[in-house]
Amino acid sequence: MMKRFVLVLSLTLATGAHAETVADVWKAKCAMCHGADGKAQTKMGQKASIGDMSRPDWQKARADAELREVIAEGAPRNRMMKPFKDKLTPAQIDALVGYIRTFKAPSGP
Ligand code: HEC
């Protein structure tokens, strides 16, 4: 009886994972290096001198297509940034590009 309840509960949780928001994906798969706020104030971020995604110049220098490419294929100049095309759907990758755009500091250049 109890076992059955646990099974149903874990199925519910597993299904729930599909309703993951882009913020959840960022937190689970990206924030450990890029930081929750994209500023890369993390151990890994410092080690690899990952760029600060909240900087307007960082944002301006990169087209959506370039961000999409790095997320899908990895960063050619830094293998720590792995390709995510087998782990994320194209829709999730698009959503992450949009999410990265929200890191831009609101207070101008
Ligand atoms: C293990 C650490 C790590 C994880 C996890 C990681 N990244 Fe990266 N990411 C890097 C590094 C290192 C770079 C290369 C930085 C550079 O070249 O300046 C990078 C580069 C990028 C770039 C290109 C930055 C640029 O300067 O053009 C994007 C976009 C990006 N990551 C998005 C993501 C997303 C989205 C995720 C999660 C799905 C993610 N990363 C997960 C380490 C990581």
Side-chain angles (χ1 to χ4, degrees):
M1 187 60 189
M2 190 60 194
K3 239 184 195 154
R4 193 182 187 94
F5 171 74
V6 171
L7 179 68
V8 169
L9 182 68
S10 49
L11 279 176
T12 309
L13 290 175
T15 313
H18 286 278
E20 252 179 351
T21 65
V22 61
D24 294 332
V25 176
W26 179 267
K27 240 184 262 161
K29 297 197 161 70
C30 321
M32 67 283 239
C33 294
H34 290 279
D37 53 5
K39 291 183 180 171
Q41 302 294 314
T42 64
K43 249 196 201 132
M44 195 70 85
Q46 271 150 9
K47 219 165 98 183
S49 41
I50 301 178
D52 176 351
M53 291 172 166
S54 74
R55 292 178 52 141
D57 56 344
W58 188 98
Q59 292 279 344
K60 230 193 250 169
R62 288 154 182 84
D64 287 357
E66 296 173 73
L67 301 181
R68 211 176 285 127
E69 171 85 10
V70 174
I71 299 169
E73 307 293 339
R77 63 179 183 280
N78 195 325
R79 288 288 158 206
M80 273 210 267
M81 178 61 203
K82 300 221 158 38
F84 281 91
K85 64 173 183 290
D86 297 334
K87 300 194 176 73
L88 298 170
T89 64
Q92 282 178 309
I93 293 175
D94 281 348
L96 283 166
V97 171
Y99 193 69
I100 287 170
R101 293 302 182 197
T102 69
F103 293 140
K104 185 173 174 177
S107 54

